[in-house]
Amino acid sequence: MSIAQALTIAGSDNGGGAGIQADLKTFQELGVYGMTVITAIAAQNTTGVQGVFPITYAGVAQQLDSIGEDFHPHAVKTGMLYSADIIRLVAEKWLHYGWSNLVIDPVMVAKGGAPLLQQEAVHTLVTQLLPHALITSPNVPEAELLTGMSITNMNQREEAARQIVQMGSTYALVKGGHDEGSGMIIDVLYDGEHFHYLENIRVITRHTHGTGCTYSAAITAELAKGSSVMAAVTTARAFIQAAIEDELGIGAGHGPTNHFAYQRRQRGER
């Protein structure tokens, strides 16, 4: 029996809503075997981040080698990489092991505003890792940090997507969840030639912790199973929409999304 395998290189969220915990839940729900390389441990809950404790360079390197020497991930996603040194290390190991289907979720700021990527690491991400990406999936604030431009409308979001592709990513997905001027959320996918728009009804809820991690993990899982980028993004968009709509109501702050929801809907359960 051959099973699709996916690797997430990211931080740990002990509250379970984001980071490697969200990634593994998403991989499992979509029928993909998940593996992890942990870059940092965040002490956090739904009210915020209380501390971030980075894993040593040697610790991350050994984890990457442990995966590369024994496993064969069909897709790899990155989340919180924390530092320029770790970003360079991931790029080196990516090339060394010949992995494919890289999904970059450029995690830079937590939902409550705490920084999750050191400032000097942004340039390293753009120049050393992003050129290997099949798809990069920033939200609007992350796209602003990557491109250095202000994004307040759809034309600017499209321009940001163009710039990200010019940086080397094959596809750019600029998500619209932070654009609160509409009853719809419109995500913009750019393939280097054409724009594609994924629209969903905005859900008014505070339970959106981990949406970016979950969205990109679902893309990664679908790519690992052999889906095209467009098909992977379409399924991932439906996955995160269900996860937001069928809220769990956990925690006093920004609660986690419901990773069970998509497959339960597929089975006709609610």
Side-chain angles (χ1 to χ4, degrees), residues 187-270:
D187 299 334
V188 179
L189 177 66
Y190 182 56
D191 62 12
E193 293 185 4
H194 304 103
F195 290 101
H196 309 272
Y197 305 92
L198 296 92
E199 298 187 24
N200 280 100
I201 296 173
R202 181 180 299 279
V203 180
I204 307 302
T205 176
R206 61 183 171 85
H207 298 289
T208 57
H209 178 54
T211 51
C213 300
T214 299
Y215 196 166
S216 58
I219 294 170
T220 307
E222 291 302 302
L223 291 173
K225 293 190 289 186
S227 295
S228 68
V229 171
M230 188 68 214
V233 172
T234 300
T235 297
R237 192 66 191 79
F239 187 98
I240 193 60
Q241 186 72 15
I244 295 171
E245 288 179 350
D246 297 356
E247 67 180 42
L248 296 170
I250 293 174
H254 296 291
T257 65
N258 183 354
H259 295 90
F260 307 121
Y262 178 77
Q263 287 294 0
R264 286 182 174 176
R265 290 186 178 191
Q266 296 297 102
R267 296 191 299 265
E269 304 170 9
R270 290 300 294 267

Side-chain angles (χ1 to χ4, degrees), residues 96-117:
H96 178 73
Y97 290 110
W99 291 330
S100 59
N101 295 325
L102 175 60
V103 179
I104 294 180
D105 179 21
V107 176
M108 297 176 179
V109 180
K111 185 73 68 179
L116 298 175
L117 183 68

